[in-house]
């Protein structure tokens, strides 16, 4: 068992990156991820981490530096939020298309306008389609753990994709939580040095980033799509190996008191912990309510999600972002995932917690109450923004 | 005597082609020639980051490639950032003993659009951070790959598809951005201008850049018959005329000190250069006069910097 310390989650993330012996770090400040890069710069300055650390001139360049570094065979890291992600979004699609492993921690923060430094998932939702493996973690331990998991997974020769860890800005990044650290010898065994399948080097010249005509592009897209979907067994395997090392086992969709639930709350990210408190309260009141937490966002875990939720009568899906003019993005994906099922639960979609507005256990209870009433009255297509001051 | 020496020197260039023939560039393309010469200067121990543009497109139609050296294209505006990542990776991987230590040059290549406009930020960042790399801008004076739209590198008066010569407006209304000066203002150890019409000079400058630690910036005039509306067989001649008229002087800035690579007792009139190019055919005598005056003025300024020993912007002695 590793040492257990109280640590700011951003610092824990930086420590994990250090333990992974990354080679190249590109940094640009944006609230609320900056503590991570500040800590990393300190670790490098003190000689605790041997890496090339660059303060780049924009987030677009931050990810471009990582792409260049990964292409040359280095283990690369960057992190950002909100506007920074928006600026580097062009490169996220390219990094995936070029099949280059790297890690980005995204401290989720609202996309402007209006400007806001507080947390929601609008930044992550913007790059749903970028082709990275995407995790949503719910507490500090998960952030720390997934740094190791992400590098081992992304660099696996049967995977070769960049990975994002979504962690709620401020709600996770700036709080002190108990973190069980992993001993370095165990980390080194779990995560060997990066052995690229292809790298830029004069000994074996290759061309990366060619352009493709319509006659060949579709095939490259299929290759990418098949590869991302096929990474699922390796994701599960990596989680299993991690569990064997630490006793902490992760899964694509985690359930809490869900087996006999009629109503299931569905959340992503730090909402999960708060919702579980609400579930306990509702259970005390004799209500058959449970919780399903989506941890793996891409590739979307269709099978695991169905297994966890199909038995329920209704799902109350809490989105932390909105596709303006349309819907809550997670709910729309869930609806798509379940559409083909002959028997499927009703789905009520709330958008809550936008831009850091606090969502308490009693808010979750109110949302379940509302959803159950609405569905009872025949509203099977419910969608609303929760908690707006009218 | 000098002529014979030049011919002899050309034969010392390697016969190897690291930029394989079969690429799709236009007949008479000055840029392809520049790339070919740059690669001959560098040899095989190079890794190239290339911007979106003519050279990237003509050379990498999946599944073919012209690059016999390691090469990556990522996007349009981030060449210098990608090159920074490559340079950093090589440095740290060699330091950690994960790849054998050996000299590998990191080369960033981009056109004028990808350098002076959309790529300026990434270039500035990379120069400021002091990466050990060479940035080559192949300047054909417009966004040629997308169909001849103007860039900030398009010369005054040139007609492009977004600065067409019409009744109310007469082509590009701003003066060409001085990228070499911008690079030099970053206080990097080596800046140079070059032209494939002077191949030995170009190759020597590239080789010099590899020997100077830190960032190097080389700005190469790339004649573009398609965009400039000139005859393809005139590309070499036009490159020479650009230099001989003082429009594109060849010089170096080494640790802030300016050196002219070639000087002429008397510059040829700019008309000698302009008259071969359809992009200038609408120019009025007044506009040509204006160009002539400004070219002479800038050439004088450059000569003054080179002879008065201007170092890092300060006058010496």
């Amino acid at each position: 068992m590793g040492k257990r310390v109280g640590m700011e989650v951003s610092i824990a993330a930086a420590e994990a990156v250090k333990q992974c012996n990354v080679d190249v770090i590109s940094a640009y400040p944006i609230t609320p991820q900056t503590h991570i890069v500040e800590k990393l710069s300190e670790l490098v300055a003190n000689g605790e981490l041997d890496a090339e650390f660059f303060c780049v001139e924009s987030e677009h360049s931050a990810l471009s530096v990582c792409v260049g570094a990964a292409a040359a065979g280095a283990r690369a890291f960057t992190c950002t939020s909100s506007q920074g992600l928006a600026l580097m979004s062009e490169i996220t699609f390219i990094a995936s298309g070029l099949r280059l492993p790297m890690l980005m921690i995204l401290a989720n923060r609202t996309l402007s306008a209006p400007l806001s430094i507080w947390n929601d998932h609008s930044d992550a939702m913007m790059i749903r389609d970028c082709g990275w493996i995407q995790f949503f973690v719910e507490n500090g331990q998960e952030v720390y753990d997934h740094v190791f998991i992400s590098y081992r997974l992304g660099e696996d020769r049967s995977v070769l994709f960049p990975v994002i860890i979504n962690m709620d800005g401020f709600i996770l990044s700036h709080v002190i939580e108990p973190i069980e650290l992993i001993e370095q010898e165990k980390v080194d065994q779990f995560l060997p040095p990066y052995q690229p399948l292809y790298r830029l080097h004069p000994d074996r010249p290759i061309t990366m980033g060619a352009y493709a005509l319509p006659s060949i592009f579709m095939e490259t897209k299929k290759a990418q799509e098949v590869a991302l979907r096929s990474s699922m067994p390796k994701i599960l395997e990596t989680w299993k190996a991690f569990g064997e090392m630490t006793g902490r086992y992760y899964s694509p969709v985690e359930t809490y008191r869900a087996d006999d639930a009629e109503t299931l709350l569905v959340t992503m990210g730090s909402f999960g912990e708060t919702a579980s408190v609400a579930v306990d309260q509702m259970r005390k009141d004799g209500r058959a309510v449970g919780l399903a937490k989506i941890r793996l966002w891409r590739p979307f875990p269709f099978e695991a999600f169905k297994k966890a939720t199909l038995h329920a009568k209704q799902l109350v899906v809490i989105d932390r972002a909105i596709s303006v003019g349309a819907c809550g993005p997670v709910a729309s994906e869930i609806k798509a995932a379940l559409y083909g099922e002959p028997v499927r639960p009703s789905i009520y979609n709330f958008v809550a917690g936008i831009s850091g507005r606090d969502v308490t256990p009693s808010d979750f209870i109110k949302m379940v109450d509302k959803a159950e009433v609405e569905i009872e009255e025949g509203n099977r297509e419910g969608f609303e923004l929760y908690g707006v001051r009218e | 005597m000098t002529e014979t020496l030049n011919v002899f020197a050309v034969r010392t260039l390697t016969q190897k082609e690291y930029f394989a023939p079969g690429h799709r560039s236009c007949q008479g393309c000055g840029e392809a020639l520049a790339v070919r010469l740059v690669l001959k200067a560098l040899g095989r121990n190079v890794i190239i980051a290339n911007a979106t543009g003519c050279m990237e497109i003509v050379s990498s139609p999946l599944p073919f490639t012209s690059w016999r050296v390691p090469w990556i294209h990522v996007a349009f505006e981030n060449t210098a950032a990608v090159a920074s990542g490559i340079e950093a990776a090589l440095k740290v991987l060699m330091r950690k003993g994960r790849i054998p230590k050996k000299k590998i040059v990191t080369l960033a290549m981009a056109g004028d659009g990808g350098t002076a406009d959309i790529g300026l930020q990434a270039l500035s960042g990379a120069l400021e951070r002091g990466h050990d790399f060479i940035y080559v801008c192949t300047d054909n004076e417009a966004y040629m790959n997308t169909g001849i739209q103007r860039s900030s590198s398009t010369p005054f008066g040139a007609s492009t598809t977004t600065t067409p010569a019409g009744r109310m407006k007469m082509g590009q209304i701003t003066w060409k951005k001085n990228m070499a000066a911008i690079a030099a203002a970053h206080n990097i150890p080596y800046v140079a201008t070059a032209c494939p019409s002077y191949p030995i000079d170009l190759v020597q400058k590239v080789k010099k850049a590899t020997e100077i630690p830190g960032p190097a910036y080389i700005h190469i005039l790339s004649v573009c018959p398609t965009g400039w509306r000139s005859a393809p067989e005139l590309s070499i001649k036009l490159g020479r005329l650009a230099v001989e008229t003082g429009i594109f002087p060849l010089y170096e800035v080494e640790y802030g000190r300016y050196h002219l690579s070639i000087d002429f007792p008397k510059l040829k009139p700019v008309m000698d250069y302009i008259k071969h190019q359809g992009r200038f055919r609408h120019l009025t005598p007044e506009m040509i006069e204006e160009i002539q005056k400004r070219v002479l003025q800038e050439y004088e300024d450059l000569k003054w910097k080179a002879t008065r020993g201007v170092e890092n912007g300060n006058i010496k002695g």
Side-chain angles (χ1 to χ4, degrees), chain A residues 270-283:
Chain A
S270 62
F271 268 162
E273 297 217 320
T274 323
S276 62
V277 173
V279 164
D280 284 342
Q281 181 58 49
M282 288 186 272
R283 282 281 179 179

Side-chain angles (χ1 to χ4, degrees), chain A residues 4 25 43 59 213 249 268 295 358:
Chain A
R4 203 155 182 265
I25 301 165
L43 293 169
E59 287 95 341
L213 288 164
Y249 289 87
M268 289 209 309
R295 182 176 286 108
D358 211 12

Side-chain angles (χ1 to χ4, degrees), chain A residues 21-24 50-52 54-58 60-61 64-65 67-69 71-75 90-91 94 98 100 193-194 199-203 205-212 216 220, chain B residues 44-47 56-57 60-63 65 67-78 81-82 84-89 91-93 95-96 98-99 102 104 121-122 125-126 129 131:
Chain A
N21 194 18
V22 300
D23 302 315
V24 176
D50 184 8
E52 290 294 300
F54 294 113
C55 296
V56 288
E57 74 293 345
S58 87
H60 189 284
S61 288
S64 303
V65 164
V67 168
R75 184 171 281 163
E90 179 199 13
I91 308 301
I94 298 175
L98 296 182
L100 293 171
Y194 176 35
R199 67 155 101 230
L200 295 171
H201 195 280
D203 291 352
I206 52 171
T207 289
M208 287 189 178
Y211 94 92
I216 197 171
T220 71
Chain B
R44 60 174 36 259
N45 288 316
V46 64
I47 298 178
E56 170 256 331
I57 291 293
S60 67
L62 198 66
T65 181
W67 303 97
R68 291 190 168 129
V69 288
W71 180 95
I72 183 167
H73 157 251
V74 179
F76 195 10
E77 67 281 62
N78 64 357
V82 174
S84 300
I86 293 169
E87 183 257 9
K91 199 157 145 191
V92 66
L93 291 175
R95 185 169 73 231
K96 289 183 176 179
R98 296 231 296 277
I99 59 174
K102 101 169 164 176
I104 300 174
Q121 180 190 283
R129 289 191 299 272
H131 294 277

Side-chain angles (χ1 to χ4, degrees), chain B:
Chain B
M1 198 51 170
T2 325
E3 294 303 308
T4 327
L5 272 174
N6 276 338
V7 169
F8 178 72
V10 166
R11 286 174 193 249
T12 65
L13 273 181
T14 177
Q15 299 250 335
K16 294 206 174 90
E17 297 297 343
Y18 295 102
F19 185 54
H23 55 76
R24 319 298 203 230
S25 69
C26 305
Q27 187 183 62
C29 173
E31 194 157 295
L33 179 56
V35 168
R36 194 174 153 228
L37 289 169
V38 167
L39 260 52
K40 280 179 190 275
L42 292 174
R44 60 174 36 259
N45 288 316
V46 64
I47 298 178
I48 303 177
N50 210 145
T52 313
C54 277
M55 286 302 99
E56 170 256 331
I57 291 293
V58 306
S59 66
S60 67
L62 198 66
F64 300 105
T65 181
S66 263
W67 303 97
R68 291 190 168 129
V69 288
W71 180 95
I72 183 167
H73 157 251
V74 179
F76 195 10
E77 67 281 62
N78 64 357
T79 316
V82 174
S84 300
I86 293 169
E87 183 257 9
L90 291 175
K91 199 157 145 191
V92 66
L93 291 175
M94 287 185 198
R95 185 169 73 231
K96 289 183 176 179
R98 296 231 296 277
I99 59 174
K101 283 192 166 70
K102 101 169 164 176
K103 184 165 167 80
I104 300 174
V105 171
T106 301
L107 174 70
M109 275 208 300
D112 49 289
T115 300
D117 292 348
I118 201 172
L120 189 57
Q121 180 190 283
L123 173 63
S124 179
L127 295 182
E128 182 270 334
R129 289 191 299 272
H131 294 277
D132 185 15
F133 79 123
I134 302 174
Y135 190 104
V136 165
C137 173
T138 49
D139 183 4
N140 52 25
E141 302 191 326
Y143 288 91
M144 293 306 187
N145 181 43
T146 45
I148 320 172
Q149 294 84 23
R150 84 121 223 180
S151 76
S152 61
S153 218
T154 301
F156 172 79
S159 180
T160 67
T161 58
T162 46
T163 58
R167 264 169 280 145
M168 302 297 281
K169 292 199 173 155
M170 303 282 275
Q172 170 96 328
I173 56 172
T174 55
W175 199 263
K176 184 185 175 85
K177 196 185 264 190
N178 189 340
M179 273 311 305
I182 291 170
H186 285 72
N187 290 325
I188 58 175
Y190 189 68
V191 176
T193 63
C195 176
S197 306
Y198 297 82
I200 303 303
D201 177 71
L202 188 155
V203 165
Q204 279 174 341
K205 283 167 172 167
V206 174
K207 286 205 204 237
K208 191 188 265 190
T210 67
E211 273 142 34
I212 297 178
Y217 178 86
I218 302 179
H219 196 96
I220 304 182
L221 182 69
S222 307
V223 178
C224 172
T226 309
W228 298 11
R229 323 285 193 201
S230 54
E233 65 268 21
L234 289 185
S235 292
I236 305 291
K237 179 172 174 155
L238 274 177
R240 285 223 189 93
L241 282 169
V243 176
E244 288 165 344
T245 54
I247 284 172
F248 190 84
L250 294 180
Y251 62 95
E252 297 167 287
V253 188
E254 253 181 290
Y255 295 99
R257 296 207 62 163
Y258 282 73
H259 309 278
L260 278 181
S261 312
I262 182 169
D263 194 8
F264 303 94
K266 186 170 157 61
L267 292 174
K268 289 187 174 162
V270 296
M271 198 55 196
D272 285 5
Y273 173 71
I274 284 171
K275 70 188 183 202
H276 296 289
Q277 304 172 51
R279 64 177 174 160
F280 290 124
R281 73 167 177 232
H282 59 284
L283 292 186
T284 62
E286 292 77 36
M287 288 171 88
I288 295 173
E289 169 81 35
E290 198 181 327
I291 294 171
Q292 181 68 73
K293 261 194 2 211
R294 185 141 171 188
V295 165
L296 285 177
Q297 181 61 57
E298 290 194 356
Y299 197 81
E300 281 313 303
D301 292 345
L302 182 64
K303 273 183 78 165
W304 185 86
K305 281 186 197 169
T307 55
R308 290 293 300 276
V310 171
E311 201 162 312
N312 290 329
N314 302 310
I315 302 165
K316 283 178 67 68

Side-chain angles (χ1 to χ4, degrees), chain A residues 122-178:
Chain A
S122 52
D123 55 3
M125 289 304 138
M126 189 189 61
I127 53 156
R128 267 191 283 178
D129 302 339
C130 68
W132 287 43
I133 293 174
Q134 303 177 44
F135 295 115
F136 272 86
V137 294
E138 78 174 17
N139 59 42
Q141 185 70 64
E142 283 193 35
V143 174
Y144 175 82
D145 288 349
H146 277 78
V147 172
F148 310 106
I149 292 165
S150 299
Y151 275 120
R152 172 164 153 157
L153 175 64
E155 291 172 5
D156 189 288
R157 285 181 173 196
S158 68
V159 174
L160 295 177
F161 273 104
V163 183
I164 291 181
I165 299 173
N166 288 286
M167 79 166 180
D168 287 322
F170 283 119
I171 293 172
L172 289 185
S173 64
H174 280 61
V175 298
I176 296 177
E177 292 205 345

